[in-house]
Structures are given as C-alpha cells and as structure tokens.
Amino acid sequence: MKIFLTSVGLFLFSFAVHLIVWRYKLPKHHIKSLLVIFAIVFCLWVFGAIIYSWGLLETVHIGLFYGSMTLSYVITYSAIEADSPTLSLIRFLAEAKGNGRTVSEVSQFMAQRPFVRARLSALALSGLIREEGSRFIAVGPQPLSFRVILGFRKLYGPISRGG
Amino acid sequence: MSSFIGPIAAMVVNVLAQIILFRGRRGTQYFGSIIQAFLLGAVTLLIGEAFFISSSAAVSERLFLALAVNLPIYLGLSYCYFNFVQLGQTSIRLRIYSEIMAHAAGVMISEIEREYDEKGLTEVRLQRLRESGDVIERDGNHFIGRTRLLHIANVIFAAKHFLLRKKSEFD
C-alpha cells in the first residue's frame, strides 16, 4: 500500500507541477522540461526518503513504479505535442460523417499539414541539425538516445516506408 | 520484503521473446510478435507473483502489491518498449536524422522533400488504413471503418486541447 500510494502521489504531484508550469508558460523544449520536472520531484523525494530512513528496496520499487508511469506519460505526451498524420487523417474523415472524403480532399487537408517540414524544424530546434543554404547538416555527435534506437533497429533489418 | 524483480524479469522475457519471435519469422508478423511476447512476459510475472504470494505470510498485502504495483509497472514498461520499437519502425524524424547523419556534407532539402514526398506518404497511410479496415473506400470516397483509431484520436486531441490549448501543431 505504501509503495502504491507514494508512487501514485509522487506522480500526481509531478503532474500538477507540470500543469502549473504549462499554464504559466509553455516551455521551448517540452519533453526535456517534462523530464526535468519529474526528475526533480523524484530527487527531492529520494532526499526525504534518505532522511526518514526508508528501506532501500522499497525506495527502488517506488522509483521503478514512478519511472514506469513517468516514461509512459512522456511517451504519450510526445504523441500529444506533435500531431500524428494518421490520427489527423482519421479525425478529418470522421468529421465528414456519412459523406466521406475524396482523395483530393484528403490530399488538400494533408498539404496544409507539412509533417516532414515540421519534423525537420523539430530536429533543428533540438539542435541536432542545422540548415545551411539548401542543405541540412547534422550538428555534433549523435545523441545516446538516437544511437540506442538506431542500434536496436538493426535487429529488425530494413524498415518499410513509414511515418 | 519488497519485490520489484517480478516486473523486471517479465520485461526481460518480453523483450527477448519479441526479438526472437520477430527475427525467427524473418521480419514478418511484427504486431503478432509484440502481442505474443507481451503475453509471455505477463505469464512470467504471474508465475513469479504466485510464487511470492504462496510463500508469504501476508497474503492480502502481497496480492495487492502484485495487482496494484507490479502489474502496472509491467504494463507501463511494456507500453514504453512498444513505443520504442515502433519509433524505430515508423518515425519520419528518426529516418531523416539518420540519413542526414550518414552524409557528412549534409543532405539537400530538395532530396529530402523528394524522398519524403508528402503526397506519397499520404497515399501510403491511406493504403495502410484501408488494409487494416480503419478506413473504407466506397465510390471514390473514404469513410471511417473500424472506430478504434478514432477513439484514440479523440482522446489525444482532447488532451492536446487541455494541455496546449490548441487543436493542432499547425494552428
């Protein structure tokens, strides 16, 4: 019960802090800011747990539960922050109800949402690439997160055209 | 004693089983391998928890720990793993970045736009949605078929409106 209540309480507290910050001002880097907020709350709690002599195993268990909830939320948030082309398309079709949408209407709708250009801008905003004349150039070394994902992807072989 | 080993062991089984199943089938049945591996991990978790419950004096406390803590931990980690693998499979951002990284001199914008032609991607998406039954084509018009994606879309868009006070990133 203690593990459950503490983990859920910590998560809800972090979520409340995140909501307050977001209402005050939207940060430039949403995911980074989210991770920082959730990490600070957890670190402060760990500090308290050490002072009040909580058991190590119990603390690790709470960390695992809290971490699992936090990462799940951050992943879901990334889908909230950036539009999914597929889900946007689904909603567009649903709005037409029984009339349906022709291919040209779908193309026109998607043309108003340049997803590829938006992803390039997001990469540039995160400082991973920069635009130089008519080219995009990678900046600095590949971040660890990308290396892990790309390395793991090799296990799956060539990937289909996606997005 | 607090036991967090159960969900970790279950995740190890989940990840290894998914890779083995996927590779063993030479890259086919991707979603099938995800679901089967998830179930294998869940069975591992249940066996582990049943063992702990049977050997524990405080049965109700142990049962609560298994259902309210360890099961959600496993579900959360599995959700993260699914998204991690999915990211490597379909993320446009990742594909573009890896291509730019692979060329020291960079990649021409026109080349990216040609490779990731928005119209072509829309056609691929529509095709995929038709194949999965999420979209139905009738007399040249497209309609919603299965409503599962629509429910997800509605939740995501409501959350976006609540958190970001806008309906689209292009608003």
Side-chain angles (χ1 to χ4, degrees):
Chain A
M1 192 59 132
K2 194 175 168 188
I3 293 171
F4 175 80
L5 288 178
T6 310
S7 309
V8 172
L10 270 176
F11 179 80
L12 291 177
F13 181 75
S14 304
F15 186 77
V17 174
H18 142 57
L19 272 188
I20 292 166
V21 172
W22 259 237
R23 283 285 179 271
Y24 179 69
K25 191 177 188 286
L26 280 178
K28 195 175 170 190
H29 301 286
H30 290 213
I31 299 295
K32 259 186 207 167
S33 309
L34 262 184
L35 289 170
V36 166
I37 289 171
F38 279 76
I40 287 175
V41 169
F42 185 68
C43 289
L44 288 173
W45 175 79
V46 168
F47 186 66
I50 292 168
I51 289 174
Y52 289 99
S53 308
W54 281 47
L56 178 67
L57 290 176
E58 215 167 34
T59 306
V60 173
H61 209 157
I62 289 166
L64 191 62
F65 194 9
Y66 177 77
S68 162
M69 283 190 287
T70 299
L71 288 178
S72 299
Y73 177 66
V74 169
I75 285 170
T76 307
Y77 184 89
S78 67
I80 294 169
E81 184 193 8
D83 288 4
S84 152
T86 301
L87 295 183
S88 302
L89 182 56
I90 286 287
R91 271 179 66 88
F92 179 65
L93 295 181
E95 278 163 11
K97 297 196 170 107
N99 299 323
R101 302 277 194 192
T102 61
V103 173
S104 67
E105 282 175 319
V106 169
S107 298
Q108 203 179 343
F109 171 76
M110 296 304 269
Q112 290 163 355
R113 286 157 179 75
F115 288 101
V116 175
R117 196 76 208 187
R119 301 300 173 262
L120 279 166
S121 303
L123 283 169
L125 184 71
S126 3
L128 293 169
I129 60 170
R130 71 164 184 272
E131 197 172 346
E132 253 186 38
S134 57
R135 288 175 177 273
F136 275 110
I137 295 174
V139 179
Q142 206 173 47
L144 181 67
S145 53
F146 273 85
R147 279 208 301 271
V148 171
I149 295 169
L150 294 173
F152 200 79
R153 201 174 78 177
K154 284 181 186 159
L155 289 168
Y156 288 84
I159 59 173
S160 58
R161 199 177 159 84
Chain B
M1 192 191 96
S2 156
S3 173
F4 51 84
I5 305 298
I8 293 176
M11 262 325 286
V12 171
V13 170
N14 183 345
V15 173
L16 289 178
Q18 202 269 324
I19 293 168
I20 293 167
L21 285 169
F22 187 73
R23 287 192 69 100
R25 290 166 183 162
R26 295 174 191 282
T28 59
Q29 298 182 30
Y30 165 67
F31 282 109
S33 69
I34 292 276
I35 291 167
Q36 287 156 4
F38 167 77
L39 292 175
L40 271 173
V43 168
T44 307
L45 180 70
L46 290 176
I47 291 170
E49 294 300 327
F51 172 77
F52 273 114
I53 289 167
S54 64
S55 63
S56 171
V59 173
S60 61
E61 190 189 326
R62 193 68 228 185
L63 191 66
F64 181 82
L65 192 70
L67 293 176
V69 178
N70 285 349
L71 189 62
I73 290 176
Y74 177 66
L75 292 176
L77 293 178
S78 298
Y79 174 71
C80 293
Y81 176 67
F82 169 68
N83 280 280
F84 172 75
V85 175
Q86 187 71 3
L87 199 67
Q89 293 281 307
T90 60
S91 166
I92 295 177
R93 198 183 313 200
L94 200 74
R95 287 176 61 114
I96 294 176
Y97 180 62
S98 55
E99 274 175 39
I100 295 174
M101 273 302 290
H103 298 87
V107 179
M108 298 281 286
I109 295 169
S110 56
E111 212 174 298
I112 295 172
E113 283 172 347
R114 197 172 50 245
E115 173 73 13
Y116 296 92
D117 159 44
E118 300 270 7
K119 206 175 164 201
L121 288 174
T122 301
E123 281 165 17
V124 170
R125 273 185 206 110
L126 265 180
Q127 177 68 24
R128 217 160 50 189
L129 289 168
R130 280 196 297 261
E131 282 169 8
S132 62
D134 293 304
V135 167
I136 298 166
E137 188 181 2
R138 208 167 44 232
D139 303 326
N141 280 330
H142 290 82
F143 303 87
I144 292 292
R146 297 164 75 178
T147 53
R148 57 183 186 163
L149 283 181
L150 182 59
H151 295 312
I152 297 171
N154 286 337
V155 170
I156 293 284
F157 279 76
K160 186 193 284 283
H161 191 58
F162 173 68
L163 288 167
L164 307 174
R165 303 280 173 97
K166 57 183 184 179
K167 288 180 178 170
S168 162
E169 69 175 299
F170 301 104
D171 279 353

